[in-house]
Amino acid sequence: MRNLMLKTLAALLALFVATPLLAANDGTLDTSLNPPMGGAGPFYGVPGLFQYGINLGGTGQYLNNDYVAATAVQVDGKILAAGFSWNTYLGVDQNACVLTRFNADGTLDTGFAGTGRIVVNFSPSSGENDCCFSAIALQGDGKIVVAGNTTVSTHGERGIVFRYNANGSPDNTFNNGGSGNYVIAGDNSAFSSVVIDADGTILTAGHSIYPGHTDEDFFYEAWAASNGNAKYWDWAAFNLGADNDDRAYAMVLEKDICIGHPCFLHDELYLVGSANNVVYTDGLANHDCAVVAYSKGLSDTRFNPDTGFGTGGKKSIDFPAGPTTEGDNICRAAVSRPGHGVIIGGENYFISPANGGGLASYWALAEVTLNGSVTRRDAYPYFQSIGFPGIFNGIYGLAREPNGKLVATGYAGTSDPDHQPSDAGVVRFNADFSRDSSFGGGGSGVVILSLDGLSGLIAHQREWATELTLDNHGHIVVAGERSALYGIDGDYDWLVGRLNTSDEIFRDSCDGVVPPAE
């Protein structure tokens, strides 16, 4: 009996040693983020990941479709999420801008704007409609800046920037000499990203049509922090062979870069997106990932093209991974590599035998140095680890942990025209772009974010991650969209989750950002 007990104890000890306890930074769901009960419409969630419906009561084709496009985490752990939702306003069906704040435990912060959320509709009589928020930035004084675009019947898209006080009330000092708490850019413009400069200037980036031209170019505009006055703006056209559809989707501001001896101290601004190239002979579109760099020295009053970067401040990048080199390269995310340049992420399309000779796509990552050289360029077949393969795979969000590791989020989906079913996921990469085996299950470096089964319809769910950020406890906050009944109008809701990762890190209240690792 004694020998049997010893053998059993030895077996249990061996099992314990062979199966180490999961560390707090392995990407497991943070169960302290609980589903915010009381959300309108169908609700599904588990601790650490939930679906949240806005459901403003719209009618018509899109009913209650809700999309989240941006997140930000305050110093106190409260989560801001921005996007848009379909509604009926003054008798017209249109998208409304939506900004919501959750407490650190996932409950709705009802002290924010009195209800927990802000809804913005433009009056159809003004010719403006379809308000959409796309980006958030936090000021050091607690004010919240959100950017996006509206559609004007006689002017096309127009970029918009709103500013709110910390409690969600409108900041009516921010109006560019007008009224209200917002500014509007020129005709045929849209903003996809926003950052705050060291002097408080608000920088927005996206695309716009240069006056007198007909094609879209990279575009950024600077707004005064004191009153929202437009300070300056700039266009950057790539003209790689097709003179249209050059769009910036992400923006990175890197402060206090030192170059050369003696040191030339300056700030660097990167706009990241895609530029249109000559269409392939078989008719396939041919976009390349693209980066524009601007520089501002100590004596400069604005950012100017960095002529030491690439060619005239611009660099295009092709990802020839896969069986063929044909197909688009679309980059939607970027993160600084302090003192060395920028890392960009997106989606690399190519013709694939696995999809019957049709298109497929890989996750794509590239590292671009301060002078525009591409030192690393990789693509990944899929992050999917469930029964169906990820034929289409794309990165939508990037963040850099203080230890230098890179976390990316996006989707993996099937060959369906809308890539459904699909799952959201997060991958953590080491500095050399290899997957971090300490993250995710089984050393995969991958965490799948899925609520499959909670709705009873496993095969038709679309879960898509579009944004992620780090909070000051080292968590990854990720957001996107979920449709439990894909293909049925009015069934898109927000997907919000939080993962355990990294150690607690210092985030100051001056600019609300995580200081980079030394």
Side-chain angles (χ1 to χ4, degrees):
M1 176 65 72
R2 182 174 180 272
N3 288 338
L4 179 60
M5 291 176 64
L6 290 174
K7 288 180 180 179
T8 302
L9 180 60
L12 290 173
L13 180 61
L15 179 62
F16 178 80
V17 173
T19 310
L21 295 176
L22 291 176
N25 65 349
D26 64 353
T28 53
L29 290 176
D30 176 13
T31 56
S32 66
L33 180 77
N34 289 298
M37 300 307 294
F43 176 82
Y44 308 101
V46 297
L49 182 67
F50 60 82
Q51 173 184 348
Y52 188 76
I54 307 299
N55 298 347
L56 299 178
T59 61
Q61 180 181 1
Y62 300 106
L63 296 175
N64 294 318
N65 282 354
D66 309 320
Y67 297 91
V68 62
T71 59
V73 184
Q74 298 180 172
V75 176
D76 59 6
K78 292 184 178 182
I79 299 169
L80 287 156
F84 53 95
S85 181
W86 191 254
N87 73 163
T88 301
Y89 183 69
L90 299 180
V92 175
D93 292 331
Q94 62 185 35
N95 283 314
C97 285
V98 178
L99 176 64
T100 298
R101 191 163 73 188
F102 301 99
N103 293 309
D105 64 358
T107 56
L108 192 65
D109 180 8
T110 55
F112 181 71
T115 61
R117 72 176 179 221
I118 294 167
V119 177
V120 178
N121 276 289
F122 285 99
S123 173
S125 63
S126 68
E128 299 181 64
N129 50 44
D130 282 343
C131 182
C132 302
F133 282 153
S134 302
I136 307 176
L138 302 178
Q139 294 188 178
D141 58 3
K143 292 184 178 181
I144 302 159
V145 179
V146 282
N149 66 280
T150 182
T151 303
V152 186
S153 58
T154 56
H155 301 274
E157 294 178 305
R158 296 185 74 180
I160 54 173
V161 188
F162 281 73
R163 191 164 71 184
Y164 296 92
N165 296 310
N167 63 2
S169 62
D171 176 8
N172 291 322
T173 67
F174 188 80
N175 52 40
N176 197 17
S179 60
N181 66 316
Y182 67 93
V183 296
I184 298 183
D187 295 352
N188 301 304
S189 63
F191 295 135
S192 303
S193 186
V194 57
V195 297
I196 310 297
D197 198 359
D199 63 359
T201 298
I202 296 167
L203 299 166
T204 52
H207 60 271
S208 177
I209 297 178
Y210 188 85
H213 292 211
T214 59
D215 59 311
E216 294 170 338
D217 296 323
F218 279 46
F219 176 72
Y220 87 93
E221 187 160 4
W223 310 88
S226 58
N227 52 19
N229 287 350
K231 297 176 65 175
Y232 57 87
W233 49 88
D234 189 66
W235 285 265
F238 273 83
N239 294 334
L240 299 178
D243 295 335
N244 54 42
D245 201 20
D246 300 341
R247 296 187 172 203
Y249 296 107
M251 178 169 46
V252 172
L253 174 61
E254 189 172 350
K255 303 174 184 177
D256 299 331
I257 297 174
C258 183
I259 295 181
H261 302 284
C263 178
F264 167 58
L265 198 64
H266 74 287
D267 296 341
E268 196 81 0
L269 183 70
Y270 299 100
L271 276 57
V272 175
S274 64
N276 205 9
N277 213 327
V278 177
V279 175
Y280 287 114
T281 56
D282 57 11
L284 280 179
N286 181 16
H287 291 83
D288 289 340
C289 288
V291 184
V292 178
Y294 295 89
S295 178
K296 186 177 73 170
L298 294 177
S299 60
D300 295 332
T301 59
R302 59 168 292 168
F303 282 94
N304 296 294
D306 181 355
T307 56
F309 179 90
T311 302
K314 291 176 283 189
K315 178 69 177 182
S316 62
I317 304 165
D318 192 14
F319 287 88
T324 72
T325 60
E326 295 194 354
D328 280 350
N329 297 274
I330 309 294
C331 284
R332 310 179 183 93
V335 66
S336 172
R337 185 169 174 255
H340 297 278
V342 64
I343 295 174
I344 66 175
E347 193 162 0
N348 170 41
Y349 291 88
F350 59 92
I351 296 174
S352 172
N355 194 20
L359 284 176
S361 62
Y362 286 172
W363 282 34
L365 281 173
E367 183 180 73
V368 186
T369 68
L370 292 172
N371 65 9
S373 300
V374 180
T375 56
R376 184 172 293 276
R377 179 179 56 184
D378 290 311
Y380 302 86
Y382 49 82
F383 71 74
Q384 207 75 14
S385 62
I386 58 177
F388 60 84
I391 298 296
F392 287 91
N393 309 267
I395 292 176
Y396 275 77
L398 288 173
R400 185 178 180 274
E401 294 184 347
N403 57 17
K405 292 183 179 181
L406 185 71
V407 287
T409 194
Y411 82 100
T414 65
S415 57
D416 176 87
D418 292 303
H419 313 329
Q420 64 91 17
S422 61
D423 276 344
V426 177
V427 178
R428 187 161 70 187
F429 298 97
N430 297 308
D432 63 356
F433 286 8
S434 63
R435 290 188 184 181
D436 178 9
S437 61
S438 68
F439 186 81
S444 65
V446 178
V447 173
I448 304 297
L449 301 176
S450 177
L451 295 176
D452 287 354
L454 292 182
S455 64
L457 294 172
I458 297 176
H460 297 285
Q461 296 185 156
R462 168 170 160 153
E463 290 158 316
W464 207 284
T466 55
E467 181 70 14
L468 90 166
T469 189
L470 300 178
D471 70 10
N472 61 327
H473 291 285
H475 298 121
I476 297 172
V477 176
V478 61
E481 66 191 48
R482 179 178 189 254
S483 174
L485 298 169
Y486 184 81
I488 298 179
D489 289 333
D491 195 51
Y492 286 96
D493 288 329
W494 292 11
L495 183 72
V496 181
R498 190 167 66 203
L499 309 180
N500 294 310
T501 180
S502 186
D503 297 318
E504 184 166 350
I505 52 181
F506 171 74
R507 179 197 299 259
D508 64 41
S509 60
C510 295
D511 57 11
V513 300
V514 180
E518 295 296 331

